[in-house]
Amino acid sequence: MKRRRSWILMGLAVALTTTLRGPMTQAATDDWQVPPPTGAQVVAAIKHGADFLQQQQKPEICWEPGRHSITASGYQERGGESALVLEALLYAGQSLHLPELNIFSPQMQAAIKYVASIKTHDTYVASFQANAMALLPPKREYMQVLHRDRKFLAASISRGGGYSYRWPGADGQTVRQRGDWDNSNTQYGVLGMWACGYAGLHIPLSYWQRVGEHWRRYQYPDGTWGYNGHLHRPAAGSESSRPDSMTPAGLASLFIADEFTHTAAPIEPVPDQNIRRGLNWLMKNFHPDNTDIYVLYGYARVGLACGLQNFGDRNWYNVLASELLTLQGHRGDWHAGIVGPPQVDSDIIGTAYAMLVLDRGLNPIVFNKLQYGTHYYGQWNARPRDDANLTSWMSRTFETPLNWQVVNIASPVSDWLDSPILYIAGHQDPHFSSSQLAKLKAYVGAGGIIFSNSDGGSKVFTKAMAGYAQAVAGPQYRVVKLPPTSPLYTLQPWFHSQRPPWLLAVSNGARYLWIISPRDMAATWQRRLFGIKEDWEIAANLYFYATGKAPLANRLQSLVVAPPAAQPKLAIHVAHLKFKGNWNPEPGAWPRMAQLAAADFGTAMTVRNQSILTLNAHTTPLAVLGGVGTFRLTPEQIAHLRAYLNKGGTLLVDSIGGGPAFTAAFQAVQTELYPGTLMRQLPDHSRIYTGRVPNGVDASVVHYRKYYVEKNGVKSDPDLMGIKRHGRWVLLFSSEDITSGLLGTNTWGIAGYMPTSAQKLVRNMLGYVMAEHAPALQVKGKAAK
């Protein structure tokens, strides 16, 4: 993982089945029935848009229609379109790692050189230029441009905090007038200065205070903003009445200003009434089917700035992505269609805006912050910028575009599974109901990790979280204080905490399920106190732990498995064996594999937890014995298991987490199961590896988790052991974890296969067993021939 703090990749400062899915509200069902696009579809749309923009690039003037861009207001804005397009291309290239958008390619170099050469007195141009330059390495020539933009934007803001199209006074020739501004230019002036600040330039606090005062002063009582400042709302339909575009502009600008002016870390929420009114209006007036891409861009800015997953009852990114994919032209372009002001009619500008909406919103989500109260400003959110500031720091530090998000406890757990970490903050007991606790348990069972922070070091909150963690994990596990050797303190070898260990956690033996910080780390994030390194670096360790040091998937690649497109034609029953010991540390793993079997290869796989003594090879041809730690089986269990195998059953044994204790314990069991018979490695040509089984796939080359590779070295061959009797494998054993991979997660500390490889191996094992055991193989309810 790269670790350069020198330059930024900008992110805008920005029962299980019922529990996981849950019912949609009537509003959501009626208003938006189109399923969200897949991550692959969005990436393809972005690439298509990038291709279109690069095809439109012209020598010397890049994407300008001429030497100057003429707006409807008559201003000449040389370089504005090119700077906006460059920002979109740079962001797409860096977040999606597109080689054709590498900054050293000749075409991108020409665009960078042109945009860097612009010396402007135009607010839009300076803003777009600053946002583009902030995406580049901090070379002297780029930093000089940012210094120039900062100087212009600092000088051209009015005394009341607004911006207009141009300010010739930047060269000392014209005096700036107080009332000469509009809210469209103002939002871009603020966004440009924000880019300068995050590129490392100093922006005085007084600037952000002036910006905040402007937007608060000109907000209408209903929570909206218009294009110009009026004491009363202009007549509907006038060019000054544009709440659909200017209200998102006002909200996004206030969130930016608050990031720098609201740096206290109270334990009781301090509601920002202007933001509250604006959000209340937006929740009721969100129209994703608006074809004005300027408006859609505004929606996305607010979504990324406030973190909310939903506007009203709809996932704002999902519906915006669906709308934009519908609007994309066959050339890869989007038409701007901005009705004004400012009036813009340009496929190039429309495409750049659309790409920014799709690309920025698609970034992986590190922390989902749990809203367990009714209002945006509740105990859960006493520090509204804690998660935002932490995510922004991670993006800059590790050169990885990341997002954060707020999810509601009333939403189905499936809505939470686009992030590996659920963050809960507060200082009082939230008094979770039994149904809410069931959702937290379902999230953890699906592979998620919960992290809770005690605001103000609250002992009441710490005690409550420990109790909920114990209830979620179960009585067989205990909340304990983590030792200094925990990966949460040691994952980054260059970082060594100077504080005594303070974190609490509960583990299932393979991974942490819930982590508690009795010390108030979030206050440091909210206040942006970068000198307190432990609070940032421990959070980074949690990020690496949850991701296994592997790249996070984008927000549309959830752990939720889509239902099958057609009725499964094959069926198999699988027994998940219970024994005295830690036999089910990952209760969500095999049920999820059953969902994958139905969706991916048309097999109805039924998984039942059952005793070894009830095994029946005729009805249940495959049994799974997995666990963590040591265990023993009774002579009666061993005898029944032997009889099951001899009658045609197959046993898969998995050391969950890849720990040595379970492996050693099973080796002792195996000597009793088949005395005098040793397990041997499956040959390279085994059908379980080659996939020469019903619905099989090639699993002859596999990938191991980074943790495994660090401990054992690089290898790509599967490594199953087994016992073969009468020409078939009756026992399959993996000392490398398979079960955790069925969850689809990459948690650190697990010695085993990456999820895709684990799922391929299990798929082939199912096919092998079905091929060997004809009664279990059914085609439309009839036994296979």
Side-chain angles (χ1 to χ4, degrees):
M1 176 65 67
K2 295 181 180 178
R3 185 180 174 81
R4 288 176 50 211
R5 299 177 184 268
S6 55
W7 61 285
I8 80 170
L9 290 173
M10 290 174 53
L12 215 52
V14 263
L16 250 184
T17 304
T18 302
T19 306
L20 281 176
R21 292 198 175 276
M24 291 185 70
T25 64
Q26 188 65 37
T29 304
D30 291 346
D31 293 348
W32 201 270
Q33 299 182 14
V34 179
T38 65
Q41 288 173 324
V42 173
V43 170
I46 294 171
K47 289 181 177 179
H48 200 187
D51 290 342
F52 166 76
L53 291 177
Q54 288 199 305
Q55 290 168 7
Q56 304 303 309
Q57 186 173 350
K58 293 173 285 191
E60 297 185 2
I61 59 173
C62 292
W63 292 277
E64 301 305 306
R67 283 293 176 181
H68 303 277
S69 299
I70 310 297
T71 70
S73 303
Y75 291 112
Q76 294 184 334
E77 297 179 319
R78 184 181 78 86
E81 289 190 32
S82 295
L84 173 61
V85 171
L86 178 60
E87 178 191 356
L89 293 178
L90 286 172
Y91 201 92
Q94 293 170 354
S95 63
L96 301 180
H97 309 290
L98 303 178
E100 60 270 29
L101 299 182
N102 185 288
I103 62 172
F104 299 108
S105 69
Q107 199 167 358
M108 289 295 289
Q109 277 288 299
I112 292 169
K113 183 178 180 180
Y114 174 75
V115 172
S117 71
I118 299 168
K119 295 181 180 179
T120 185
H121 289 166
D122 298 295
T123 302
Y124 283 115
V125 180
S127 176
F128 294 140
Q129 184 182 50
N131 277 274
M133 293 296 105
L135 290 169
L136 294 168
K139 294 174 66 175
R140 182 171 177 270
E141 58 264 39
Y142 307 145
M143 294 305 296
Q144 284 179 338
V145 177
L146 284 164
H147 278 285
R148 188 167 63 240
D149 288 333
R150 179 192 62 174
K151 182 179 179 181
F152 166 74
L153 292 169
S156 60
I157 189 172
S158 72
R159 285 176 293 174
Y163 286 92
S164 64
Y165 280 99
R166 305 190 79 234
W167 184 50
D171 58 10
Q173 298 176 6
T174 306
V175 177
R176 185 75 166 82
Q177 298 300 313
R178 180 182 179 89
D180 184 16
W181 59 267
D182 64 75
N183 276 332
S184 181
N185 274 284
T186 300
Q187 73 155 326
Y188 280 98
V190 172
L191 187 57
M193 191 65 96
W194 177 83
C196 292
Y198 271 82
L201 305 188
H202 173 68
I203 313 298
L205 177 62
S206 58
Y207 174 86
W208 301 115
Q209 291 171 333
R210 193 189 306 186
V211 165
E213 290 169 1
H214 168 91
W215 290 101
R216 297 181 200 286
R217 182 184 305 116
Y218 292 106
Q219 186 182 33
Y220 299 130
D222 65 353
T224 64
W225 283 268
Y227 182 71
N228 296 115
H230 296 270
L231 295 178
H232 304 286
R233 171 172 297 289
S238 72
E239 76 169 21
S240 295
S241 178
R242 293 206 62 203
D244 54 346
S245 61
M246 290 300 102
T247 300
L251 279 168
S253 298
L254 275 182
F255 276 115
I256 290 176
D258 281 0
E259 183 176 345
F260 299 96
T261 59
H262 291 190
T263 56
I267 61 172
E268 294 289 352
V270 182
D272 185 319
Q273 298 300 340
N274 298 93
I275 287 179
R276 174 181 278 179
R277 286 196 297 269
L279 284 177
N280 286 343
W281 184 89
L282 186 59
M283 296 305 108
K284 301 172 185 176
N285 295 275
F286 174 51
H287 302 295
D289 54 347
N290 194 319
T291 57
D292 186 339
I293 293 181
Y294 184 84
V295 173
L296 304 188
Y297 174 72
Y299 288 152
R301 287 192 62 206
V302 176
L304 293 170
C306 72
L308 290 172
Q309 183 182 60
N310 293 338
F311 287 171
D313 294 314
R314 291 173 289 185
N315 183 307
W316 66 265
Y317 182 79
N318 288 358
V319 295
L320 289 186
S322 295
E323 176 69 11
L324 286 172
L325 264 62
T326 301
L327 294 175
Q328 189 173 27
H330 69 278
R331 299 181 300 166
D333 60 309
W334 282 272
H335 187 67
I338 301 174
V339 298
Q343 294 179 357
V344 177
D345 186 16
S346 167
D347 293 343
I348 290 175
I349 290 177
T351 302
Y353 273 132
M355 286 177 58
L356 288 172
V357 172
L358 292 174
D359 198 19
R360 285 176 170 166
L362 190 63
N363 288 335
I365 299 167
V366 184
F367 291 89
N368 268 336
K369 189 174 185 179
L370 184 66
Q371 178 179 352
Y372 54 83
T374 305
H375 303 294
Y376 185 76
Y377 292 101
Q379 183 201 165
W380 69 275
N381 201 26
R383 288 79 177 272
R385 307 309 299 167
D386 55 358
D387 198 355
N389 291 341
L390 174 61
T391 304
S392 179
W393 174 84
M394 287 184 177
S395 292
R396 297 193 310 273
T397 301
F398 304 114
E399 297 184 358
T400 302
L402 300 168
N403 285 336
W404 67 290
Q405 189 172 244
V406 172
V407 294
N408 199 300
I409 199 164
S411 300
V413 177
S414 57
D415 287 359
W416 307 357
L417 291 174
D418 51 9
S419 168
I421 304 169
L422 184 68
Y423 168 44
I424 305 177
H427 75 284
Q428 295 290 339
D429 186 343
H431 296 292
F432 292 131
S433 67
S434 57
S435 61
Q436 291 172 337
L437 201 58
K439 286 185 173 183
L440 297 175
K441 188 179 183 71
Y443 176 78
V444 168
I449 299 171
I450 297 176
F451 173 79
S452 55
N453 178 82
S454 300
D455 290 355
S458 169
K459 293 182 179 179
V460 172
F461 187 80
T462 298
K463 182 178 179 181
M465 291 299 106
Y468 294 131
Q470 190 68 68
V472 163
Q476 67 272 39
Y477 308 121
R478 289 286 180 266
V479 177
V480 298
K481 190 172 186 177
L482 294 181
T485 55
S486 164
L488 294 182
Y489 296 116
T490 62
L491 255 177
Q492 298 179 90
W494 52 80
F495 166 70
H496 303 282
S497 176
Q498 302 303 309
R499 296 174 181 265
W502 70 87
L503 294 174
L504 309 176
V506 59
S507 169
N508 64 3
R511 65 179 178 94
Y512 297 133
L513 307 178
W514 193 316
I515 301 159
I516 303 166
S517 178
R519 194 163 71 78
D520 191 356
M521 297 171 62
T524 301
W525 308 337
Q526 171 72 18
R527 299 177 64 191
R528 302 173 72 242
L529 300 177
F530 300 116
I532 306 177
K533 292 184 178 180
E534 282 86 356
D535 291 343
W536 304 94
E537 302 293 357
I538 295 299
N541 282 348
L542 174 57
Y543 160 62
F544 291 131
Y545 179 83
T547 61
K549 297 186 179 179
L552 265 177
N554 65 58
R555 76 187 299 154
L556 291 178
Q557 292 178 270
S558 169
L559 296 176
V560 178
V561 180
Q567 189 72 20
K569 296 182 179 180
L570 307 177
I572 185 172
H573 298 291
V574 177
H576 189 192
L577 299 181
K578 299 186 286 186
F579 57 85
K580 188 176 181 179
N582 194 0
W583 65 274
N584 194 22
E586 296 293 4
W590 283 95
R592 184 174 186 271
M593 186 64 217
Q595 294 173 336
L596 289 169
D600 294 349
F601 49 99
T603 300
M605 173 180 161
T606 304
V607 182
R608 283 194 289 261
N609 298 333
Q610 67 183 83
S611 164
I612 293 174
L613 301 181
T614 62
L615 280 176
N616 184 312
H618 178 72
T619 59
T620 310
L622 177 63
V624 177
L625 184 111
V628 175
T630 190
F631 75 101
R632 294 185 65 182
L633 299 183
T634 66
E636 184 183 14
Q637 288 173 320
I638 290 175
H640 196 91
L641 193 56
R642 186 188 304 114
Y644 166 78
L645 299 178
N646 290 341
K647 291 178 181 179
T650 302
L651 177 67
L652 166 63
V653 182
D654 180 35
S655 177
I656 300 176
F662 184 89
T663 295
F666 178 72
Q667 287 171 340
V669 168
Q670 185 267 314
T671 60
E672 298 181 62
L673 188 62
Y674 286 112
T677 302
L678 297 177
M679 291 188 294
R680 58 191 176 94
Q681 284 192 321
L682 271 65
D684 293 343
H685 63 269
S686 168
R687 288 184 289 159
I688 294 173
Y689 294 161
T690 63
R692 290 183 290 106
V693 295
N695 289 317
V697 291
D698 186 2
S700 58
V701 176
V702 295
H703 296 92
Y704 291 85
R705 295 171 182 257
K706 288 191 175 183
Y707 174 80
Y708 180 92
V709 172
E710 281 194 15
K711 299 294 182 182
N712 302 286
V714 177
K715 70 175 184 177
S716 59
D717 298 326
D719 195 12
L720 297 177
M721 305 284 286
I723 291 178
K724 199 169 191 179
R725 294 179 68 84
H726 307 296
R728 71 178 186 90
W729 294 101
V730 299
L731 186 151
L732 298 166
F733 171 70
S734 179
S735 60
E736 291 86 11
D737 175 281
I738 290 177
T739 299
S740 300
L742 306 185
L743 292 169
T745 55
N746 290 306
T747 314
W748 187 258
I750 293 173
Y753 298 96
M754 291 288 286
T756 300
S757 295
Q759 292 157 21
K760 284 182 178 180
L761 288 171
V762 170
R763 176 173 178 168
N764 287 352
M765 291 178 200
L766 292 171
Y768 178 83
V769 170
M770 289 191 291
E772 294 290 332
H773 199 282
L777 181 60
Q778 300 174 358
V779 181
K780 295 183 179 179
K782 298 181 180 180
K785 296 181 179 179

